[in-house]
Amino acid sequence: MTQIITTVAELRAALAQLKPTRTGLVPTMGALHDGHVSLVQDAKKHCDHVVVSIFVNPTQFAPHEDFDAYPRTLDADLKKLADSAAIVFAPTAREIYPDGFATTITVGGPSAGLETDFRPHFFAGVATVVAKLLLAALPDVAMFGEKDYQQLLVVRRLVRDLALPVTIIGVPTLREADGLAMSSRNAYLSAEERRIAANLNVILKETIAKARNSDLRAAEAGAIEALWKAGFSHVDYVAIRDAESLDHITTLERPARILAAVKVGSTRLIDNMAI
Ligand code: PAF
């Protein structure tokens, strides 16, 4: 039976009952899909009990973004977790950000550029809430999807810099049959937009093949052109970067990553792949 808990005090009390077993945390914003379920399944390989947090974090959305529209499907989420999560932590905004809350965690390093160029508020919101969730649950391991690759690197840096006693595990992206990366925001897509969205992963794969034999900037420019042609309404970036630091690179001598953010209609999608 999954326990549903809404306060940090109750979470700590419930976790104290489970000691000395190992716990894993899967932080989510709900609207769970198979990608989230795979994070929970992976967590079970590393610990005895899994805590899934469900919290649509207001501080990682800018005022013009989709905080209000973000899908909230708690009942369906709880059904999906019934066999796998020991605890679902679903706090209110007031529980996470009590009156007078005045602390923000800013992570440098891998947060520079890419998402930050288009969502400057985003990583401070993520780092602050992730730190709060990690400190509330004090898990042995915490799982983050590679789909949000820059976020994964930012969380790793946060944990390393603050010496938080948790191991961060990155989990490969789960994809639909046509390769579209699973995302809660895919629910926004009309049938036509969904068809266009499927081109993103194909164009990234083609760009990786081109990058192996050409100048990296030319490969990125070719990807942007292909995305426009495929019907995307906006391309925020396509970038080939060092896989560990996200630094700019000009050759593929070290492990690299291609990362992209696009819009189809008004829905923003991100994806990335190892090179
Ligand atoms: O990736 C997400 O769903 C969110 O950014 C996270 C890590 C749960 C923080 O709100």
Side-chain angles (χ1 to χ4, degrees), residues 27-29 36 53 55 57 60 70 122 125-126 129-130 133 144 148 151 155:
T28 80
M29 298 209 297
H36 294 112
S53 64
F55 179 61
N57 175 35
Q60 66 191 72
Y70 200 86
F122 179 65
V126 168
V129 81
V130 167
L133 294 169
F144 289 83
D148 295 273
Q151 169 176 280
V155 169

Side-chain angles (χ1 to χ4, degrees), residues 236-247:
D236 281 353
Y237 59 83
V238 177
I240 297 171
R241 296 288 179 91
D242 181 275
E244 259 174 47
S245 62
L246 296 184
D247 285 347

Side-chain angles (χ1 to χ4, degrees), residues 14 16 22 27-28 59 79 87 108 147 152 192 195 210 248:
R22 282 172 63 80
T28 80
T59 63
K79 283 195 189 115
I87 295 174
K147 152 101 181 350
L152 170 63
E192 174 60 3
R195 188 191 63 71
K210 277 188 203 141
H248 290 268

Side-chain angles (χ1 to χ4, degrees), residues 69-164:
Y70 200 86
R72 288 160 173 85
T73 57
L74 187 60
D75 289 345
D77 292 349
L78 293 175
K79 283 195 189 115
K80 288 203 173 98
L81 296 172
D83 298 329
S84 50
I87 295 174
V88 169
F89 178 49
T92 59
R94 178 62 64 91
E95 180 69 14
I96 297 294
Y97 301 114
D99 270 351
F101 188 89
T103 299
T104 301
I105 298 184
T106 310
V107 180
S111 73
L114 301 172
E115 284 301 288
T116 296
D117 288 342
F118 297 89
R119 307 186 70 199
H121 56 283
F122 179 65
F123 287 121
V126 168
T128 305
V129 81
V130 167
K132 282 216 70 161
L133 294 169
L134 291 174
L135 290 168
L138 289 177
D140 297 281
V141 297
M143 319 298 288
F144 289 83
E146 285 184 355
K147 152 101 181 350
D148 295 273
Y149 189 77
Q150 191 177 9
Q151 169 176 280
L152 170 63
L153 297 191
V154 168
V155 169
R156 282 196 202 284
R157 184 66 65 94
L158 164 80
V159 163
R160 190 197 81 174
D161 287 357
L162 299 185
L164 298 178

